[in-house]
Amino acid sequence: MADVSSNQGIPDPEGASDIIETDYTIGQDNIETNVGPFPLDIHNPVFVISGLSVVLFVIYALVAPDQAASFFGWLRPFLTSTFDWFFLSAANVFVIFCLLLIVTPLGSVRLGGAEATPDYTYVGWFAMLFAAGMGIGLMFFGVLEPAYYFGTPWGDEPLGVVRPFTEEGALIQENVAEARRMALAATSYHWALHPWAIYAVVALALALFSYNKGLPLSIRSAFYPILGERVWGWWGHAIDTLAVFATLFGLATSLGLGAQQANAGLEFVYGVPNNITVQVILICGITAVALVSVLRGLDGGVKVLSEINMVIAGVLLLFVLFAAGATSILTEFVSGVGAYFREVIPLSMPFGREDDGYREGWTAFYWAWWISWSPFVGMFIARVSRGRSVREFITCVLIIPSLVCVFWMAVFGGAAINDMIANVDASAVKANVIDSYKPELSLFAMLDGLPLSAITSTIGIVLVIVFFVTSSDSGSLVIDTITAGGKVDAPVPQRVFWCTFEGLVAIALLMGGGLTSLQAMVISTGLPFTIILLLMCWAIWKGLVAERNA
């Protein structure tokens, strides 16, 4: 492992590397002071602008929840119906760009210098990547999305696929095979190459310009090939501030979904009331646990929790696989992968389609959500990916997680679809996803049809909560790094501040319109950040070319 340089915790490149010569030093614009006994080391003006804006937003949403709910209720459909073509087009660019890096000579560039070695084993690397990157989403949508697309009750049929149920709820047997095939293809589209390509772009940019070029671990650093020294001025301030907003609201959406799902599970299994009050208590309690993880640091907090979570998630996955019929589900997984590759191009088309419900209500929201998460997940992946070649990095971050996500959806979604087919009138999944839309109950409804449902549902609740903790802790680390001017060892009280306000933003959005408000803020921050990511691809290419010539 490389020696840590004076660049505030960032290791010096090992071996040949194209280090960028700049007069800027990490933390030169920072304000170092104390608030009582707590030391602060904050970037001016990124921390001040983003911190103050977040505080004012929380106050507004809590003081005027009805007004906030009305505004967010208008904002979400307006953005998805107006800019769906832009989100779909941009996501396609990211996938093509990543695949291009794998097959070109630029893939041989090593992050951290020509002689750098990985800081983490594959097991530890994958554990942190999954827990931080897709945890709560897999738990919330693993059953919901395949089951919903299979039943398609409100005109959301992906590519206009036929429905397997009549208006009265009876099964149309001849439509089942095609509906199942498209349900798995449409779900895989949202969880395979496209989201991981978004994460890979940001992670690669941060790792390349920090570990190879000697620049701060901050979003603005990726734009040095485009902006030059101007990146340390207001252009850079704007980029980093936007990254903070995107990260914060992307996390708040996930935390809000996690609280809703944990509350639904507690009601389903133990009869705990399902309401805003309980969800607020859950967010407060889990944020407190996240604060403990924050104090333990990356290796003692996030890494340990991530590895524990991966083991528990793996056990639950195997239980569902065998309890629901491993042979049929594995068969569906293989056919689902094939269906995904057959349908990925039609599903990716931004124009000439009539499936507005699926394209606008699901895909546009997903891409905005992944893009909002990208500063958080990208920076976190960059922090733990030093020493990998670009080809190895892209392959592992893009292709392998895609297969795991598709397998997860095939197992959980396949079990749910099997339940709806076998028990048309008595299926808890059909009752809570198709007949009456209660998305937070979908996982527990599926588990209810399998043996040991009380135990597995409790495990599901624990998984949601621990994913919640790891996301909050990881997000606090990332936002703190950005608002500390790229320092990776800034004072812990700053991370405590961001961890606390992540929970407060989630509470404010839940009280100011619930799920609609969460989704609206994700899309509104994801839209401008999409432009940032497109420009980032150009900067990465220029940076890798210079690295190859070093």
Side-chain angles (χ1 to χ4, degrees), residues 467-492:
F467 275 130
F468 193 148
V469 171
T470 54
S471 295
S472 181
D473 187 357
S474 306
S476 304
L477 183 149
V478 168
I479 295 176
D480 183 39
T481 299
I482 296 173
T483 56
K487 291 186 177 182
V488 297
D489 56 355
V492 172

Side-chain angles (χ1 to χ4, degrees), residues 45-247:
V46 174
F47 184 97
V48 177
I49 294 174
S50 55
L52 183 60
S53 299
V54 168
V55 171
L56 292 176
F57 174 83
V58 170
I59 293 173
Y60 162 71
L62 293 179
V63 171
D66 294 337
Q67 185 183 65
S70 176
F71 172 71
F72 294 137
W74 164 83
L75 183 63
R76 185 201 185 284
F78 168 76
L79 291 174
T80 53
S81 62
T82 304
F83 295 102
D84 60 303
W85 64 271
F86 179 62
F87 285 121
L88 267 69
S89 300
N92 294 338
V93 170
F94 301 139
V95 173
I96 294 170
F97 178 72
C98 286
L99 294 177
L100 192 62
L101 291 180
I102 291 177
V103 300
T104 63
L106 296 179
S108 63
V109 172
R110 186 165 296 277
L111 301 175
E115 299 175 8
T117 56
D119 293 337
Y120 296 96
T121 64
Y122 276 113
V123 173
W125 188 35
F126 283 140
M128 288 187 282
L129 188 153
F130 281 111
M134 286 292 188
I136 291 176
L138 288 176
M139 297 300 294
F140 194 91
F141 292 101
V143 170
L144 171 65
E145 204 171 343
Y148 185 83
Y149 298 151
F150 177 78
T152 54
W154 293 293
D156 288 354
E157 298 92 333
L159 300 178
V161 70
V162 293
R163 289 191 63 204
F165 296 112
T166 66
E167 294 296 328
E168 293 75 28
L171 189 68
I172 307 173
Q173 191 63 48
E174 57 268 27
N175 292 351
V176 167
E178 178 61 15
R180 184 201 294 267
R181 186 187 73 85
M182 185 55 72
L184 293 176
T187 301
S188 299
Y189 171 58
H190 288 155
W191 294 86
L193 295 178
H194 285 75
W196 290 99
I198 292 168
Y199 293 158
V201 166
V202 179
L204 178 58
L206 290 166
L208 175 66
F209 286 96
S210 179
Y211 297 139
N212 293 67
K213 312 292 187 179
L215 299 181
L217 189 66
S218 192
I219 302 296
R220 72 172 74 196
S221 295
F223 292 87
Y224 193 93
I226 300 174
L227 297 172
E229 290 295 316
R230 289 175 296 171
V231 80
W232 313 124
W234 279 101
W235 281 102
H237 300 338
I239 291 169
D240 278 351
T241 302
L242 182 58
V244 171
F245 290 149
T247 304

